[in-house]
Amino acid sequence: SSGINAEYGDAMEGYKGDMETIVMFTDSYDVIFVADKSEIIENFKSFGANFIISAESWLWPDTSLESQYPEIDGKKYLCSGLMMGYAGTFYNILNYKDLRNTDDDQLYYTHVYLDKEFREANKIVLDGTSVIFHNLHGAIRELDYGFGNKRIANWEMGTMPQVIHGNGPTKIDLSRFGNYYPRVFDPSEGPDGDCMICKEKEGRVNVTEMETAPLILTTMFITERTPFLDYFINKTFAQQYPQERWHIRIYNKVFSQADLVQELVNHHVNNNEKQKFASVKIYQPKMLSLKGNMEIYDAGMQECIELGCDWYFAMDSVITLTENTVLGDLIYWNQSIITTQLTQPGQYWSNFWGDVNKDGFYKRSPDYFELVKRERKGLWNVPFVNNLVAIRGDVVRSGSVKYQHEKYDDSNHDVSFAANARAANVFMYTVNLKYHGHLKRMENYTNTNTHNDLWQIFTNPVDWKLNYIHPSYDKYATKLRHQFPQPCTDVFHFPLLSKKFSWHIINELESIPGDIFAGSGVNNDNRLAGGYENVPTVDVHFTQINFQQEWLKVLRDYVGPIQMRVFEGYKFHGSAYLSFVVKYHEAGQRKLVPHHDHSTFTTNTALNRQNIDYEGGGSYFIRQKCLVRDVDIGWTLIHPGRLTHYHEGKEITKGTRYILVSFNDP
């Protein structure tokens, strides 16, 4: 409180002389209780005093009074944010002298305490050793979370305080203690801790059980060139939420990806007769080129106000969602501002901070790593969230949170947002009970190719897998040898690449100016070390498009594990003599003569559709007298290269056939 209300004295009039009723006075929004009433009263009575006031290490507001303070055990300066005692004594204190609403409460109680005669007559003491009260300012390091004892402990004083006060600049620290106490989260129970507050049902919002779902607005912000942008947009549109109650906005500042954004919106909205979205709008670079990030992020919240939305979601293109329930899952917690924990795979970089420094930037909190690694799963009050931020509609309409802040430049719009929320005492939360997705790395994203995502396997390997590895691959990675399809003896069949990869690699090659396949298909081939190919094909080597290292990683990460299952006793060395895309065309090369491959084992992946894109074709293994056709897109044949599997490429009769071949461990 900033002043003493004279009505306090009047309110206590009826308690004059009452030495049985115990009164406690605390600040309101920055105090947590970590013990029950009986324990607090028991400790109060152990003092043998009539009135107890909390203590701290800082003298405020009048430092000239320092010499008048008596020496006591522990801290000796008064803090009026926490007090308790008999009602009759409190009445006496409030009537020590005339009160005015403009009086400083701390100074008033200081004068009360420093009056030795009044202090001793009324048996007023300070809790210098934190027996009951602990003020965090200047004394945070004295406290231990005490998880083993399930109580906060003051290790320096040897006490277990029952009331914690986040006075001064310690609000974030108090919130951190509040993440665990009282009876909020116990990390000593179970492998991920016990989130007791997570089990509470009161105040939660289950969208699936509501007759009318909350009206929401999701905004997708594309402020920099983004890998796998199509996945981000597609996954957002795929969220499970009643479309009639769902507005969507896209703010795109990237010119080179504007056509892709429009194409995706056409697919989901303009050309989709089944869609029922409340509204969908795109703001493309021409409209946003002169606007800063703070301005467009605030514009998104303003649209929420104009639409009367119940929930607002700000979603940055850096996120990758892997679940379709994110919107409803965040609404469920019914918090003012909330995000789901997202991290860069294999890193500690996340979309929340456990603490901030005095300038509002990252500072590591004591429990940050435990939260990021999901060693503690729960609902966490934190000082910073970004990238995927859900804000309740009443908070948006209050105007208490915004992105504009004079202290920060435009590139720190997220830091600015969090600073504004903290200043307005609006709590921000992250929840890490479910895995909803992760963050991409945005650096080193080139603009030199048609499908630049193909080259992201080192920078964003998890996203590369989501987009380019066949969705059934993981099932086969755990199968035994006899469980793999085997169309011919020692010719195994498994799903490796997605349809998206197949389309992208073909389109990448065919989009290169000129004809990149031209000049191949002849014996003299200067692409090879020896300059000569015995059995030439019309093809493009991955070395020609600087994709060889990326493909070697695919072989090592995804083909190697399969090879060890189907050809037991041999382990892939991780090398490939040749990796290339072959093009069979009815007006060009139509077949391939019998040959052995220069490899220990070969992989041959279908990139397009038999009987649709081409007719005929197939791989014929001569010794085994076995023809393999009807291979689905992205499915791979793996077979020995030398000695046993002499084979040929059967003639196509119509269309164009593409296959991806690797000669592995030459």
Side-chain angles (χ1 to χ4, degrees):
S1 55
S2 60
I4 301 176
N5 192 323
E7 294 180 1
Y8 286 178
D10 296 336
M12 295 299 296
E13 184 71 32
Y15 295 92
K16 181 179 180 180
D18 184 347
M19 300 303 289
E20 293 185 0
T21 302
I22 298 174
V23 176
M24 178 179 285
F25 177 93
T26 74
D27 284 353
S28 56
Y29 72 98
D30 58 358
V31 171
I32 60 174
F33 289 76
V34 294
D36 57 26
K37 182 175 69 173
S38 61
E39 182 179 345
I40 295 172
I41 292 176
E42 180 181 349
N43 277 286
F44 166 72
K45 291 181 177 180
S46 72
F47 274 81
N50 290 343
F51 204 82
I52 302 172
I53 305 176
S54 69
E56 62 179 331
S57 301
W58 304 94
L59 173 56
W60 182 86
D62 187 352
T63 57
S64 68
L65 299 174
E66 181 177 9
S67 62
Q68 299 182 38
Y69 268 88
E71 293 297 327
I72 63 171
D73 290 339
K75 304 176 185 68
K76 69 175 185 178
Y77 301 120
L78 174 149
C79 175
S80 63
L82 302 170
M83 304 181 294
M84 73 178 298
Y86 293 111
T89 304
F90 194 25
Y91 173 84
N92 295 340
I93 292 172
L94 291 174
N95 287 276
Y96 173 71
K97 65 177 182 178
D98 291 339
L99 304 177
R100 296 172 300 176
N101 285 335
T102 56
D103 285 343
D104 184 282
D105 58 348
Q106 181 96 341
L107 186 58
Y108 177 85
Y109 292 114
T110 298
H111 286 305
V112 168
Y113 178 71
L114 295 182
D115 186 329
K116 182 179 180 182
E117 182 178 349
F118 185 85
R119 179 178 74 239
E120 292 180 349
N122 286 275
K123 300 178 69 174
I124 302 171
V125 300
L126 299 189
D127 185 4
T129 58
S130 301
V131 174
I132 299 175
F133 301 129
H134 186 87
N135 295 295
L136 291 177
H137 187 34
I140 295 171
R141 294 187 178 183
E142 293 180 11
L143 294 188
D144 181 85
Y145 283 89
F147 294 135
N149 297 320
K150 303 184 187 300
R151 277 291 297 275
I152 295 173
N154 186 321
W155 61 268
E156 186 170 309
M157 301 295 179
T159 57
M160 287 185 172
Q162 290 100 58
V163 186
I164 311 298
H165 180 206
N167 58 321
T170 63
K171 303 297 185 287
I172 294 173
D173 302 283
L174 180 72
S175 293
R176 189 178 307 114
F177 281 108
N179 283 331
Y180 297 95
Y181 294 99
R183 293 182 290 276
V184 176
F185 187 92
D186 185 354
S188 66
E189 296 289 336
D192 308 315
D194 180 14
C195 181
M196 291 164 276
I197 197 173
C198 297
K199 302 170 187 175
E200 296 179 2
K201 300 300 182 182
E202 185 177 354
R204 307 302 188 214
V205 178
N206 193 329
V207 174
T208 61
E209 296 178 357
M210 300 177 69
E211 184 175 342
T212 303
L215 184 68
I216 68 170
L217 168 63
T218 60
T219 54
M220 291 177 260
F221 292 99
I222 308 163
T223 59
E224 58 182 315
R225 292 196 69 256
T226 302
F228 304 104
L229 180 61
D230 54 347
Y231 189 96
F232 163 67
I233 293 177
N234 289 337
K235 201 66 176 179
T236 301
F237 274 101
Q239 289 297 302
Q240 296 172 3
Y241 200 85
Q243 292 185 359
E244 300 89 342
R245 304 288 295 168
W246 182 4
H247 295 275
I248 295 177
R249 300 291 181 267
I250 302 177
Y251 291 81
N252 174 37
K253 296 183 70 176
V254 181
F255 281 92
S256 63
Q257 295 186 305
D259 289 344
L260 175 60
V261 172
Q262 185 62 62
E263 178 184 334
L264 292 168
V265 172
N266 288 343
H267 171 73
H268 288 287
V269 182
N270 299 334
N271 300 331
N272 182 5
E273 295 180 355
K274 295 182 179 180
Q275 67 86 17
K276 298 178 181 179
F277 292 105
S279 69
V280 179
K281 291 183 181 179
I282 313 175
Y283 300 96
Q284 291 281 37
K286 289 183 178 180
M287 304 173 66
L288 304 176
S289 60
L290 300 179
K291 298 181 184 296
N293 287 342
M294 289 183 180
E295 185 176 356
I296 67 170
Y297 276 80
D298 278 339
M301 286 203 292
Q302 181 59 36
E303 288 208 56
C304 174
I305 294 173
E306 294 170 359
L307 293 168
C309 70
D310 300 307
W311 279 90
Y312 172 74
F313 293 82
M315 308 170 73
D316 295 341
S317 59
V318 68
I319 70 174
T320 294
L321 299 179
T322 55
E323 299 297 324
N324 294 339
T325 60
V326 178
L327 304 180
D329 287 348
L330 291 180
I331 290 173
Y332 170 79
W333 296 102
N334 198 24
Q335 300 295 339
S336 50
I337 300 174
I338 189 169
T339 188
T340 182
Q341 180 185 305
L342 304 170
T343 60
Q344 288 184 355
Q347 305 294 321
Y348 294 120
W349 185 282
S350 75
N351 68 327
F352 79 96
W353 297 342
D355 201 353
V356 295
N357 61 23
K358 60 182 178 62
D359 295 318
F361 290 93
Y362 173 80
K363 178 182 177 183
R364 196 179 80 192
S365 64
D367 56 358
Y368 179 75
F369 288 139
E370 286 82 359
L371 303 191
V372 169
K373 292 189 289 184
R374 297 179 191 267
E375 293 174 355
R376 298 176 185 173
K377 293 182 179 180
L379 178 67
W380 310 98
N381 186 333
V382 294
F384 173 90
V385 296
N386 72 342
N387 299 136
L388 171 56
V389 180
I391 312 173
R392 212 171 50 223
D394 61 291
V395 177
V396 176
R397 288 187 290 277
S398 72
S400 56
V401 293
K402 60 181 180 179
Y403 287 86
Q404 300 282 348
H405 195 300
E406 60 183 12
K407 179 179 177 179
Y408 301 102
D409 61 35
D410 197 60
S411 64
N412 290 312
H413 60 278
D414 49 358
V415 177
S416 174
F417 172 85
N420 285 327
R422 293 194 303 272
N425 294 316
V426 177
F427 287 155
M428 295 169 279
Y429 292 86
T430 184
V431 60
N432 64 351
L433 291 169
K434 293 183 180 180
Y435 183 88
H436 286 120
H438 60 268
L439 301 177
K440 297 187 288 285
R441 292 175 58 186
M442 305 287 269
E443 70 272 18
N444 303 322
Y445 188 50
T446 63
N447 192 27
T448 57
N449 302 289
T450 301
H451 299 285
N452 296 283
D453 294 345
L454 288 168
W455 281 262
Q456 285 286 300
I457 192 169
F458 292 106
T459 306
N460 287 297
V462 175
D463 290 274
W464 205 96
K465 180 180 180 180
L466 282 172
N467 284 267
Y468 291 139
I469 293 299
H470 198 285
S472 298
Y473 171 84
D474 285 339
K475 296 178 182 178
Y476 280 76
T478 59
K479 287 182 181 292
L480 300 176
R481 184 178 190 272
H482 71 272
Q483 295 175 311
F484 281 80
Q486 191 175 177
C488 308
T489 303
D490 286 336
V491 178
F492 296 92
H493 195 200
F494 72 97
L496 175 61
L497 299 170
S498 68
K499 292 180 179 179
K500 182 177 181 179
F501 176 93
S502 302
W503 158 244
H504 277 193
I505 195 66
I506 292 172
N507 188 250
E508 184 71 38
L509 299 178
E510 296 291 7
S511 297
I512 296 173
D515 184 357
I516 193 172
F517 289 94
S520 61
V522 295
N523 295 114
N524 294 316
D525 192 338
N526 58 16
R527 298 173 300 175
L528 303 177
Y532 188 84
E533 172 59 69
N534 285 322
V535 186
T537 54
V538 174
D539 57 35
V540 175
H541 295 184
F542 279 158
T543 53
Q544 293 177 253
I545 60 170
N546 295 317
F547 193 67
Q548 180 69 5
Q549 294 305 312
E550 286 77 6
W551 183 248
L552 283 174
K553 182 168 176 59
V554 175
L555 294 175
R556 292 163 184 161
D557 290 354
Y558 298 104
V559 173
I562 299 294
Q563 174 270 301
M564 292 183 67
R565 289 187 171 274
V566 297
F567 296 122
E568 299 166 333
Y570 181 82
K571 183 177 181 180
F572 178 41
H573 299 163
S575 62
Y577 172 67
L578 281 177
S579 299
F580 52 98
V581 173
V582 179
K583 180 179 181 179
Y584 294 109
H585 183 56
E586 59 181 303
Q589 183 177 9
R590 301 165 69 99
K591 63 180 181 179
L592 188 61
V593 299
H595 62 282
H596 281 300
D597 294 335
H598 188 51
S599 68
T600 300
F601 69 93
T602 295
T603 50
N604 180 338
T605 305
L607 297 179
N608 60 341
R609 302 164 297 180
Q610 188 176 37
N611 297 323
I612 297 176
D613 300 314
Y614 67 93
E615 295 179 4
S619 297
Y620 182 68
F621 294 89
I622 296 170
R623 181 182 177 189
Q624 289 75 17
K625 298 180 181 179
C626 180
L627 175 64
V628 182
R629 277 181 175 164
D630 299 323
V631 179
D632 290 335
I633 293 177
W635 280 70
T636 297
L637 298 178
I638 181 170
H639 60 81
R642 297 187 185 91
L643 192 62
T644 59
H645 282 63
Y646 194 56
H647 59 282
E648 64 181 322
K650 285 296 186 178
E651 183 175 7
I652 67 166
T653 58
K654 185 178 180 181
T656 304
R657 178 192 181 202
Y658 296 93
I659 58 173
L660 194 168
V661 178
S662 283
F663 295 163
N664 307 304
D665 282 353

